[in-house]
Amino acid sequence: MGKEKDILGLTPEELGKGLEAHFSERDQPAYRTAQVREWIFDGLASGFGDMTNLPLKEREALAQSFSINEPEVASVAKSKDGTVKHLWRLGDGELVESVLIPTEDRLTLCISSQAGCGMGCTFCATGFGGLRRNLTAAEIVAQYRASQRWASEEGRGRIGNLVFMGMGEPLANRKALFPALTILNQGYGVGARRITVSTVGLVPGILELSKRPEQFRLALSLHAPSSELRRTLIPLEDRYPLPEVVSALKTFDEAGGKRITFEYTLISGVNDHEHLAPQLAELAFGLQAFVNLIPFNPIPYQDWEPSPTERVKLFARVMEERGVPVAVREPRGRDIDAACGQLRAGALSKEHPPEGTPLS
Ligand code: SAH
Ligand code: SF4
């Protein structure tokens, strides 16, 4: 990497301006800008050498001023159920993961926003390693491009949905997330309603997202319907207590009919007591939120187990009875550790937890 501008982190507008200036300085026709834009956003070009309808001299000149930095594939794991996990090695050697999840009618990509995560949720494998660093907008976008290229080569079609449910807390990295959302939406044409930002409840981030004119979707990883219980699972409760989070969600909701989803991971004997189901339903009803019940994925250093199926069904029934739309998520990609909460990018060894890591 040199001092060239990394194209993947530029919004279409910034890229357009940068290219216009570049080509006009070189006395090139204006349509060169459109050619390059097309190669980047539609052709998913991974280098200027690919841009075969540009003269060789122009390809070389572009490479002097701009760069296209793609992550290396460190590994690809394919699950029996069709889920595919990519482990990407970034320019400085950091590792992040993204997961392609095929369902009946579409392909969903789950991407990472940070290497590691600093939120320390007690049920999450990513959280145990702490935050290593924020990703750049280019590194977020690059996961999408490389995954789409891979999917096309494998005949898996187009990525229809994008969820920020990989490693990291997206709203803790708004400096990169916000331009990345613009680039994915305006540049690569992923509809805003098909992009979901999942957060553990960073209030300033929720409020900022609600100011965006696009209808990006928001998922709140709730996991507890009361502050008291939430505190034991999500340390962020001390900074942003549940009532504040709920009020930020109301603002988000009022800003323009964007449906909110609650993610609720059911952990046996921890947050699946019967009396919690009506509390969850009440919270969701008040915000007209959709509830996703997720079976807990056991992680190393924590002996919690998923709730029994009967209990999951009971929660689902209580939601339905109270008029709350609900879905029970199927665990996907478990055989390759690709499920939510299992993304650790190989940074931690199963046998040797890092020193000072809380185990419960
Ligand atoms: N930091 C963001 C996004 C990444 S986590 C967030 O927390 O929302 C993606 C999802 O995986 C979240 O809903 C998170 O709560 C869930 N998750 C984390 N660990 C899990 C586990 N062990 N089992 C099931 N889901 C888990
Ligand atoms: Fe971070 Fe989300 Fe895991 Fe919490 S659940 S530690 S916010 S990745």
Side-chain angles (χ1 to χ4, degrees):
M1 262 180 266
K3 52 189 177 323
E4 313 90 26
K5 248 185 169 20
D6 190 346
I7 276 192
L8 303 189
L10 301 179
T11 62
E13 199 186 333
E14 290 165 345
L15 179 61
K17 279 192 186 145
L19 289 171
E20 272 162 27
H22 170 88
F23 284 124
S24 91
E25 218 169 86
R26 298 181 53 77
D27 287 329
Q28 286 291 306
Y31 64 78
R32 293 267 179 254
T33 294
Q35 285 179 315
V36 176
R37 279 182 60 143
E38 204 174 317
W39 274 112
I40 296 294
F41 295 129
D42 301 325
L44 303 180
S46 55
F48 298 106
D50 294 356
M51 303 183 182
T52 44
N53 54 353
L54 271 84
L56 181 62
K57 258 194 149 169
E58 292 311 316
R59 288 181 243 161
E60 285 168 358
L62 279 169
Q64 299 287 317
S65 309
F66 300 95
S67 63
I68 303 176
N69 294 311
E70 296 233 320
E72 272 174 44
V73 180
S75 69
V76 190
K78 296 181 195 173
S79 159
K80 291 197 291 281
D81 67 16
T83 302
V84 178
K85 180 171 78 173
H86 278 97
L87 179 62
W88 307 108
R89 186 174 296 111
L90 306 176
D92 63 352
E94 283 297 338
L95 297 166
V96 292
E97 291 173 347
S98 66
V99 183
L100 276 164
I101 310 153
T103 52
E104 265 166 37
D105 54 342
R106 64 197 159 169
L107 192 56
T108 296
L109 176 68
C110 172
I111 53 178
S112 296
S113 55
Q114 299 181 309
C117 183
M119 297 294 143
C121 303
T122 53
F123 51 87
C124 172
T126 307
F128 273 100
L131 176 65
R132 296 184 60 86
R133 73 164 169 85
N134 279 328
L135 300 193
T136 62
E139 286 167 339
I140 294 175
V141 171
Q143 293 171 65
Y144 166 80
R145 300 175 97 245
S147 300
Q148 179 58 71
R149 205 181 300 124
W150 186 90
S152 302
E153 280 162 12
E154 296 277 317
R156 307 249 187 142
R158 271 185 75 86
I159 294 166
N161 288 302
L162 208 56
V163 295
F164 282 85
M165 293 188 187
M167 300 170 70
E169 166 52 45
L171 292 181
N173 184 16
R174 304 200 284 284
K175 202 166 147 250
L177 174 77
F178 280 64
L181 289 173
T182 305
I183 298 166
L184 291 162
N185 177 227
Q186 292 176 11
Y188 296 90
V190 187
R193 288 159 176 266
R194 297 187 167 271
I195 302 180
T196 300
V197 176
S198 177
T199 180
V200 73
L202 263 181
V203 168
I206 297 171
L207 294 175
E208 244 180 79
L209 191 65
S210 71
K211 292 195 188 121
R212 296 268 316 215
E214 308 95 327
Q215 299 216 311
F216 297 116
R217 294 202 184 263
L218 183 66
L220 175 73
S221 296
L222 181 62
H223 310 311
S226 72
S227 281
E228 201 189 355
L229 179 61
R230 185 168 177 258
R231 182 169 295 118
T232 66
L233 298 170
I234 300 173
L236 198 69
E237 167 68 24
D238 289 335
R239 241 166 86 206
Y240 299 111
L242 190 53
E244 275 183 40
V245 177
V246 169
S247 127
L249 291 180
K250 283 208 173 102
T251 306
F252 183 88
D253 191 34
E254 282 157 12
K258 311 169 186 179
R259 192 170 67 177
I260 295 162
T261 301
F262 283 167
E263 307 285 318
Y264 200 100
T265 295
L266 285 159
I267 313 171
S268 184
V270 174
N271 64 353
D272 68 346
H273 302 289
E274 267 184 76
H275 73 274
L276 296 173
Q279 288 181 28
L280 172 60
E282 197 177 318
L283 256 188
F285 194 80
L287 286 159
Q288 294 191 311
F290 186 98
V291 172
N292 256 330
L293 298 173
I294 314 165
F296 173 66
N297 285 310
I299 59 167
Y301 330 129
Q302 186 66 281
D303 55 10
W304 288 341
E305 287 179 13
S307 303
T309 316
E310 277 314 307
R311 187 51 62 94
V312 179
K313 281 189 184 153
L314 181 137
F315 265 68
R317 206 166 51 239
V318 172
M319 298 309 128
E320 274 165 5
E321 280 166 8
R322 290 166 192 244
V324 174
V326 61
V328 177
R329 275 235 225 115
E330 278 181 39
R332 301 292 305 259
R334 278 209 175 160
D335 52 337
I336 54 166
D337 279 2
C340 289
Q342 292 190 349
L343 300 183
R344 304 179 307 147
L348 304 174
S349 134
K350 285 190 183 179
E351 293 75 34
H352 305 288
E355 267 177 59
T357 298
L359 299 189
S360 59

